[in-house]
Amino acid sequence: MTYYNELITEKSWKKLQELKRKYKFILIGGWAVYVYTKTLKSKDVVNENPKYEAITRENYMGFVA
Amino acid sequence: MTKKEIIWRHILIRALEKKQPTFTQKEIAQYFKISTSTVFNALKAPRKLGAVEVTGRFFRLTDAEKLLILWATMRNITKDIQYSTYVPGFTAKIEGNTTGDTIFGAFSAYRLKYNDAPADYDQVYIYSDNLEELKKRFPPIKNKQQTENLFVLKPDHFLSSFGHITPDVQTFVDIWNIPKWYAKDFLNSLKEKLNI
């Protein structure tokens, strides 16, 4: 059994891809660890970006920016 | 959920999603590994209401809405609640912290399936047998002033075959039985989605 629900991690991953296409940011948190280790997937997207407010508005419905 | 309800769910999904309104007692009995008499008894009330008709060797669902409403009124969601607690934070965060085997129900099921919600909601209903892990992630309420906002329901053996979200007919009957003001908005939207 995966730690987080696959439905949630899949949506989170798709959201990350969408954000990546639109903005430049530094990925930190769970997905950053996953990119290196390919182990535990994350359920939210955490990033560092000067345009924080824009990304926060975009990153709605349960994701933390 | 009773065997009767599981059979009703099966018939509704076949008719509404797979566009197969006809069925035989035997095929349902074989599918669920139950007796044909159990299937026959499950069809008594829908037949009496005119939701199901007998045509030769087959049964035919003629009024899906009637059967759905019948099921909704018979559903006893409170009986299926295994655990409930209060979790601080918004609902999406609660949903995000559930276990890998969780099946989302009610409002969460709608939102996750349609990437939208007809109204804001503040309760999360999930189906899971993994109580030990869920209680670690969402401990029991300490302050009795708090109102529960996470409800863990007992899944039946066949529910996991639908994936991590309850099918729309199940979502409908579950929401029907939740006494929240915003349930009506979800039910109206689901009726449109189900085309009834």
Side-chain angles (χ1 to χ4, degrees):
Chain A
M1 187 192 73
T2 53
Y3 189 82
Y4 294 123
N5 195 290
E6 274 177 6
L7 189 64
I8 302 290
T9 56
E10 201 183 302
K11 280 181 180 283
S12 181
W13 180 252
K14 280 182 183 165
K15 194 63 179 177
L16 176 58
Q17 304 308 308
E18 192 186 308
L19 289 171
K20 183 174 168 286
R21 281 190 289 272
K22 285 186 178 179
Y23 304 106
K24 274 192 175 177
F25 57 86
I26 298 165
L27 183 66
I28 62 175
W31 281 122
V33 174
Y34 174 76
V35 167
Y36 280 111
T37 64
K38 297 287 189 288
T39 52
L40 180 65
K41 291 182 181 176
S42 184
K43 58 176 172 61
D44 50 17
V45 179
V46 186
N47 66 77
E48 287 288 331
N49 187 289
K51 293 183 184 175
Y52 174 81
E53 194 183 326
I55 291 186
T56 306
R57 275 203 303 276
E58 182 75 37
N59 203 1
Y60 181 57
M61 292 296 262
F63 300 107
V64 176
Chain B
M1 288 244 303
T2 61
K3 281 181 192 169
K4 191 164 41 180
E5 291 175 80
I6 293 169
I7 291 167
W8 290 347
R9 181 177 67 201
H10 178 80
I11 293 168
L12 280 164
I13 289 171
R14 271 177 66 125
L16 293 173
E17 293 182 19
K18 298 177 185 174
K19 312 295 179 200
Q20 295 169 5
T22 56
F23 55 94
T24 63
Q25 266 182 203
K26 190 180 173 184
E27 72 179 272
I28 294 185
Q30 283 175 342
Y31 182 83
F32 290 110
K33 295 185 175 45
I34 53 179
S35 66
T36 49
S37 61
T38 302
V39 179
F40 181 79
N41 284 327
L43 296 176
K44 270 187 188 166
R47 284 179 70 186
K48 203 172 175 184
L49 281 180
V52 169
E53 280 179 3
V54 181
T55 54
R57 290 192 306 114
F58 297 94
F59 287 89
R60 185 181 177 83
L61 178 65
T62 51
D63 195 333
E65 187 180 6
K66 254 189 194 172
L67 179 56
L68 188 64
I69 301 299
L70 171 66
W71 178 18
T73 54
M74 300 289 283
R75 177 99 176 91
N76 186 349
I77 197 169
T78 313
K79 205 174 170 189
D80 282 349
I81 296 173
Q82 306 189 87
Y83 175 66
S84 60
T85 187
Y86 169 76
V87 184
F90 49 90
T91 50
K93 200 165 183 185
I94 299 172
E95 290 156 1
N97 282 319
T98 54
T99 53
D101 63 338
T102 290
I103 299 169
F104 294 101
F107 314 111
S108 307
Y110 186 101
R111 181 183 81 77
L112 289 166
K113 180 168 180 178
Y114 295 108
N115 290 315
D116 190 15
D120 288 334
Y121 58 98
D122 59 1
Q123 289 184 338
V124 175
Y125 285 77
I126 61 173
Y127 286 85
S128 176
D129 274 327
N130 198 350
L131 286 185
E132 197 182 322
E133 182 62 29
L134 283 167
K135 282 178 181 176
K136 280 186 205 165
R137 299 188 191 192
F138 308 111
I141 297 180
K142 285 179 185 167
N143 177 0
K144 287 181 183 175
Q145 303 287 331
Q146 292 162 333
T147 312
E148 293 108 335
N149 61 353
L150 172 65
F151 300 86
V152 182
L153 303 167
K154 175 106 184 117
D156 59 84
H157 295 305
F158 302 94
L159 193 62
S160 58
S161 67
F162 301 108
H164 288 293
I165 301 175
T166 52
D168 284 350
V169 293
Q170 181 82 54
T171 308
F172 183 95
V173 302
D174 287 348
I175 293 177
W176 179 280
N177 285 278
I178 298 171
K180 287 299 236 182
W181 64 267
Y182 46 75
K184 188 77 181 170
D185 293 330
F186 282 85
L187 291 173
N188 288 337
S189 288
L190 274 168
K191 275 189 177 176
E192 280 176 31
K193 303 285 186 198
L194 288 166
N195 240 342
I196 53 168

